[in-house]
Amino acid sequence: MSTEEDSEDNAGEQQSLPGDKALLDRLRSFIAPIANDASAVTEDPRALRMARDLSEVFADNAGLSGLSKSEVEQFLTRYGHHDKRLFEARFDLFVRMGLITPFLPKKHQQRYVLDPSGLVGLLVFERIGTRGGIDEMLLLLDRARWMIENDQVNRASLKTYLKRCRQLLSVYAAKLARLVHTASITELIEEHRNHDSTQVEKDVHTLNKLVTDRFPDDHELGDSAFRLVETELVYRQQVFAAVDRVLDQGGVTLDFSVLSAEQYLAAALDGTLDGLAAVGTSLVVDPPQPWVDPGSLQEAIEEYRPRVRVSVRPPVPTEGAEEDPIGVMRARAERSVRRRALASEAHLQGRQEVELTSTLRALGWPKAGEHLMELLAVAADPDQPFTIELGQMLIVDVDALVTYMHPVILKRANPDRPGGLDFDPVSLAATADEETAT
Amino acid sequence: MSAPRDPAVLLATLRAAGSLAVDDSTLAEMEAMRGRVNDTGRLLVRCAPPSTGSTRGRSRGVAFGWSPHATPSPEDNNDYPVRRLAPTSRLTWACCLGLAWPERTTTPYPGAAFTRSLVIDAAAELGLSATFVKASLDHDLIPAHLVTASGATLRLGPAAAGMPPAFVDSIRRFHEQLPRLDIPVPVSSDSSADDELEVSSTDVPPPPSEEDWEW
């Protein structure tokens, strides 16, 4: 066998254990009445899984024409594990025992179908193996009741039914009594979950009433029914004893597997606060210790520590940088002021006042207006010692370039400052030309 | 003479409470406990006993530590699943370490006493809100026995005593990064001091001397 097949077998074996193993153990006593020898029931849980998988393969894929052996083997590979030797052995056994039958009852048939009885048997085995046969007891009680209600049973059969029911209850009661004294809590919990004492009590009492009502004068049947009720009482006592032992021992040891998840939920929803708090009275809590390694500690510190920004000195401005525009504007304004002052001095020529009406008219338009604005600007400057006086007389000359004109007189504002500026008329004119060009 | 107590019960008590007072433990009990603990790769380290409200004096207690060769490394693999603290709780723990461990050359445990307000102030300098600091102290650090509270005074807990020596050496390397306040931690015995500073020098047990470590 290859390594891959070994791993698949191990995987399949892991998937089948332990539920199938326990089921096979229960089924041995079930098969015992018809077994040929002690090895009648296989001990390999993989065989049970193989039977299930084969049944599913036939049920899902056989259709009306059946399946060949190779097709069955191919479909089985979809279920994960596949042991070829096990498949060959079990397939041949199923064919010999009639679980798998040839499509046609003649030789050299290559196609096979599943017998429905075998599939039903598989379902029965699973139910009995899981529930321990409790359902069969309930079915027997229910069947007896139904037969009495529908007049489908005679006296002899009814007597047999009552005896069988009583014997079943007696055997189960004895088993429970033995488990209460010897089994572990886990086994007792599992066994208790299969028993429904309430339903059994109801069915037994119903059956007893039916027998009494239908056969009031038959003392033998009445006695059988009464003994059935007595046996049911013993059975119910053993069920309660199992419950008491589970609760007592499980409660003391704080075994939380005693109750199912649904029972815990019901207790949480319906229980009182004191009752729920009493659960933890003797409970020791072991809180998980947090792990703080130096690396995570340092990470936390660095994550929260504010980042320090180091202020860097700005770079030194390089030579040949562009001019300061504000400085340029100031320089231009200073030159304009100086130019206006020089022009005004040029007009005065050292005198205290001079009339510039004819000079402005000779400049023409728009130069006359521009020059007048220059004179007014220098006169408005409080730092300049010049004033402008405008006469009220209006000179109108329609043919001249300056049509309307008022007399304009330039005066030196401070008589004590004749001139105020050192200038040479020649250099003054040259400076005025330069300013004009700029 | 009473029968020796089951070491399993004593160790279970130690595990649930974080520390165990051993003043009334016999030498046989201690030997049995130590043997069981060593088999699991752990150690019994000296620490302050669980506070009972009375003056501790020179009472002895033990806590779980780690053997140097058996210290797990959950940060490298998942073989030893552990519970990790949130970043705010780690930072709060760093503040507690910084306040309790002022000198790098000494050991962090038992360390100096500090108060809740000092922890809040140290964390506030890093931008951590007081709400998170209080929640970390009350819900993470104190229940995990990393910090113990005695009234308004806080100290490093028995879990800090059980820090692996390698951890202490690593933290010593970045000791200066531990958050701490610039002002010295006031541990005053003046009764007229602030309500939060109810620390008396007589309540602080002196550091154990070397001979005290001998069982």
Side-chain angles (χ1 to χ4, degrees):
Chain A
M1 185 181 297
S2 65
T3 305
E4 291 180 356
E5 291 178 350
D6 286 337
S7 62
E8 289 176 353
D9 290 338
N10 291 334
E13 185 174 353
Q14 290 298 327
Q15 291 177 7
S16 60
L17 294 174
D20 288 344
K21 197 171 186 314
L23 191 146
L24 288 174
D25 291 339
R26 284 207 189 97
L27 287 178
R28 281 197 187 83
S29 60
F30 179 75
I31 294 297
I34 57 171
N36 191 29
D37 51 41
S39 63
V41 178
T42 178
E43 295 182 354
D44 188 355
R46 298 180 303 160
L48 184 61
R49 182 175 173 80
M50 178 68 71
R52 283 200 202 100
D53 296 342
L54 272 174
S55 303
E56 288 188 17
V57 164
F58 273 101
D60 292 337
N61 304 289
L64 300 179
S65 58
L67 294 171
S68 67
K69 190 175 178 181
S70 60
E71 287 174 345
V72 173
E73 189 174 0
Q74 186 180 358
F75 281 120
L76 271 180
T77 57
R78 298 179 187 176
Y79 289 86
H81 69 103
H82 176 49
D83 183 350
K84 189 172 177 58
R85 278 194 305 183
L86 179 66
F87 167 73
E88 292 285 344
R90 300 308 293 180
F91 193 90
D92 292 340
L93 176 67
F94 292 158
V95 171
R96 287 201 304 272
M97 295 192 70
L99 175 62
I100 298 176
T101 58
F103 186 75
L104 290 176
K106 60 181 184 179
K107 288 185 179 179
H108 309 297
Q109 271 296 299
Q110 300 297 323
R111 303 193 73 79
Y112 299 91
V113 293
L114 182 70
D115 189 279
S117 302
L119 184 58
V120 171
L122 196 61
L123 297 175
V124 171
F125 288 150
E126 288 186 347
R127 191 181 77 238
I128 292 174
T130 305
R131 296 269 294 162
I134 300 297
D135 292 337
E136 304 306 318
M137 183 178 69
L138 294 174
L139 277 174
L140 189 63
L141 290 170
D142 187 65
R143 183 178 172 82
R145 177 188 56 77
W146 181 87
M147 293 180 75
I148 295 175
E149 288 176 346
N150 293 276
D151 293 328
Q152 296 288 330
V153 65
N154 54 28
R155 184 183 176 281
S157 299
L158 180 59
K159 185 179 174 183
T160 304
Y161 272 118
L162 290 174
K163 185 173 74 173
R164 286 289 170 84
C165 291
R166 178 178 57 79
Q167 288 171 344
L168 264 175
L169 280 173
S170 175
V171 168
Y172 276 119
K175 180 182 179 183
L176 279 173
R178 179 177 58 82
L179 290 177
V180 167
H181 288 93
T182 60
S184 64
I185 292 296
T186 307
E187 293 171 350
L188 207 52
I189 292 171
E190 189 177 350
E191 182 66 28
H192 171 258
R193 285 193 181 132
N194 295 329
H195 292 266
D196 187 356
S197 61
T198 307
Q199 186 65 35
V200 171
E201 179 188 4
K202 179 183 172 185
D203 290 345
V204 165
H205 282 276
T206 302
L207 192 59
N208 179 49
K209 190 172 186 307
L210 281 172
V211 170
T212 308
D213 291 343
R214 296 295 175 90
F215 305 92
D217 299 326
D218 193 331
H219 297 290
E220 189 176 3
L221 278 181
D223 183 63
S224 296
F226 180 73
R227 290 175 65 189
L228 177 62
V229 172
E230 282 184 329
T231 309
E232 186 275 328
L233 185 63
V234 172
Y235 164 80
R236 188 152 33 101
Q237 285 176 345
Q238 295 305 322
V239 171
F240 290 161
V243 172
D244 289 340
R245 188 186 156 209
V246 165
L247 293 179
D248 291 344
Q249 186 169 340
V252 169
T253 59
L254 291 177
D255 186 354
F256 290 102
S257 63
V258 168
L259 301 180
S260 63
E262 292 76 17
Q263 289 171 312
Y264 280 114
L265 181 62
L269 294 175
D270 303 330
T272 62
L273 192 60
D274 293 337
L276 293 175
V279 173
T281 303
S282 303
L283 196 60
V284 177
V285 177
D286 180 13
Q289 190 66 21
W291 187 264
V292 188
D293 56 278
S296 62
L297 197 64
Q298 193 173 12
E299 281 177 10
I301 295 172
E302 291 176 353
E303 181 180 348
Y304 277 88
R305 189 174 293 279
R307 295 177 183 175
V308 179
R309 297 194 62 173
V310 179
S311 47
V312 181
R313 191 179 287 273
V316 177
T318 57
E319 293 182 0
E322 60 184 16
E323 295 181 58
D324 178 15
I326 303 300
V328 169
M329 291 172 60
R330 285 184 182 151
R332 188 184 302 125
E334 289 173 359
R335 286 197 298 272
S336 297
V337 169
R338 179 179 171 81
R339 176 172 47 79
R340 292 189 190 119
L342 290 174
S344 301
E345 287 291 347
H347 287 304
L348 288 174
Q349 293 290 329
R351 294 169 288 185
Q352 295 299 315
E353 65 179 45
V354 62
E355 186 175 349
L356 298 177
T357 310
S358 57
T359 305
L360 292 175
R361 292 181 67 187
L363 290 175
W365 190 259
K367 279 190 178 295
E370 294 172 359
H371 201 71
L372 179 60
M373 294 309 300
E374 293 282 327
L375 291 173
L376 290 175
V378 75
D381 190 350
D383 296 332
Q384 299 299 327
F386 305 107
T387 59
I388 289 293
E389 179 181 329
L390 294 177
Q392 295 194 5
M393 183 178 64
L394 177 64
I395 304 172
V396 180
D397 186 355
V398 296
D399 296 327
L401 293 176
V402 183
T403 310
Y404 296 90
M405 190 72 188
H406 285 273
V408 178
I409 301 173
L410 175 64
K411 294 182 178 179
R412 192 181 304 278
N414 186 359
D416 296 333
R417 289 183 58 194
L421 295 172
D422 294 334
F423 65 93
D424 180 20
V426 176
S427 62
L428 179 63
T431 304
D433 291 339
E434 289 175 5
E435 297 293 340
T436 303
T438 304
Chain B
M1 184 177 178
S2 60
R5 290 173 292 180
D6 188 357
V9 175
L10 293 175
L11 290 174
T13 307
L14 168 59
R15 182 162 174 169
S19 63
L20 178 71
V22 293
D23 292 331
D24 54 351
S25 297
T26 64
L27 189 61
E29 290 174 348
M30 292 302 304
E31 288 291 335
M33 285 173 59
R34 191 190 305 144
R36 298 275 186 102
V37 167
N38 290 345
D39 291 341
T40 62
R42 308 291 296 263
L43 293 175
L44 287 179
V45 295
R46 178 80 177 273
C47 72
S51 174
T52 58
S54 60
T55 304
R56 293 197 292 263
R58 293 181 66 83
S59 300
R60 300 186 306 167
V62 292
F64 281 125
W66 286 99
S67 296
H69 63 279
T71 304
S73 56
E75 54 272 15
D76 296 331
N77 53 57
N78 294 326
D79 294 340
Y80 186 74
V82 294
R83 174 185 158 222
R84 300 186 186 276
L85 295 177
T88 53
S89 297
R90 277 184 270 151
L91 186 65
T92 307
W93 168 238
C95 295
C96 295
L97 265 183
L99 291 170
W101 189 13
E103 293 292 332
R104 179 203 301 260
T105 54
T106 61
T107 57
Y109 188 84
F114 51 96
T115 62
R116 189 180 289 255
S117 60
L118 291 176
V119 179
I120 292 173
D121 291 342
E125 292 189 350
L126 299 178
L128 189 60
S129 168
T131 307
F132 291 108
V133 175
K134 291 176 187 174
S136 298
L137 281 172
D138 295 333
H139 301 304
D140 285 331
L141 300 183
I142 293 178
H145 307 295
L146 288 168
V147 173
T148 56
S150 176
T153 307
L154 302 179
R155 278 187 171 274
L156 294 184
M163 271 200 303
F167 280 22
V168 176
D169 293 337
S170 298
I171 297 175
R172 191 172 277 126
R173 292 195 187 97
F174 60 91
H175 180 267
E176 71 284 355
Q177 297 184 27
L178 291 176
R180 54 176 61 88
L181 299 175
D182 294 333
I183 58 175
V185 175
V187 181
S188 170
S189 61
D190 185 5
S191 60
S192 63
D194 192 351
D195 289 339
E196 290 186 343
L197 299 177
E198 297 177 351
V199 178
S200 170
S201 58
T202 58
D203 289 337
V204 176
S209 59
E210 285 298 323
E211 51 269 21
D212 289 340
W213 288 96
E214 298 292 331
W215 296 106

